[in-house]
Amino acid sequence: YFESCDDVNASANMVYDNTLGDDTDGGGGMYFEECSDISVSNNLVHNNTMGTSNSGGGGGILFSDCTGVSVSDNSVYGNTMGTSSNGGGGGGIHFSDCTGVSGADNSVYDNKAGEGCNGGGVFLSGCTNVLFSENLVSSNIANENGGGLELYQC
């Protein structure tokens, strides 16, 4: 869990088989909140699970209210987001209210966003200045919209 951090570099980690309980914001594997200048690269994030959420998400990774986010060369798979009563999402990766998001060369597959959730693989909500390129997003499942990728009010 990273909160109110600057110049964060999370690289070459294996984050797997973690469980996050109910009534949480999200980030079953990794959680970044109100951070700036973040680099998340070359990580293996898999088989993480989060329970129910009001509007959060990110069975694997969650970014909330962050600026300058770079996510590259990660494998994010087999993560599960539970249920959401208010439209959360991102079985694999969730970005909420972030500015300056760059996602490149990631493999995001076999993730699941449960009941009331959007974006089985990747969910972006309220983000600006987004560049998402050369990623593999495959075989993800969402109970609502965007089986692979959902962009909402971006």
Side-chain angles (χ1 to χ4, degrees):
Y1 179 71
F2 299 87
E3 182 178 5
S4 301
C5 300
D6 296 327
D7 299 317
V8 177
N9 182 3
S11 179
N13 299 291
M14 293 181 13
V15 181
Y16 63 96
D17 293 339
N18 299 291
T19 301
L20 185 63
D22 293 336
D23 299 319
T24 60
D25 290 330
M30 304 172 94
Y31 185 114
F32 299 87
E33 182 176 16
E34 297 177 357
C35 296
S36 63
D37 300 319
I38 306 164
S39 175
V40 176
S41 63
N42 297 303
N43 295 291
L44 181 61
V45 180
H46 69 96
N47 296 342
N48 299 290
T49 304
M50 65 165 288
T52 62
S53 172
N54 289 332
S55 62
I61 307 171
L62 179 134
F63 299 92
S64 177
D65 297 310
C66 296
T67 59
V69 180
S70 173
V71 180
S72 63
D73 298 302
N74 298 287
S75 291
V76 180
Y77 65 93
N79 299 289
T80 303
M81 179 190 167
T83 61
S84 176
S85 60
N86 202 15
I93 307 173
H94 177 111
F95 298 91
S96 178
D97 300 317
C98 295
T99 301
V101 175
S102 173
D105 300 313
N106 297 289
S107 295
V108 182
Y109 59 95
D110 292 335
N111 298 288
K112 183 178 180 184
E115 184 178 335
C117 301
N118 304 293
V122 181
F123 179 74
L124 292 100
S125 173
C127 297
T128 59
N129 195 17
V130 175
L131 174 62
F132 197 74
S133 65
E134 298 184 26
N135 297 285
L136 169 67
V137 180
S138 174
S139 301
N140 298 287
I141 298 170
N143 186 263
E144 296 292 326
N145 302 310
L149 175 66
E150 163 97 10
L151 279 83
Y152 178 74
Q153 296 182 342
C154 291

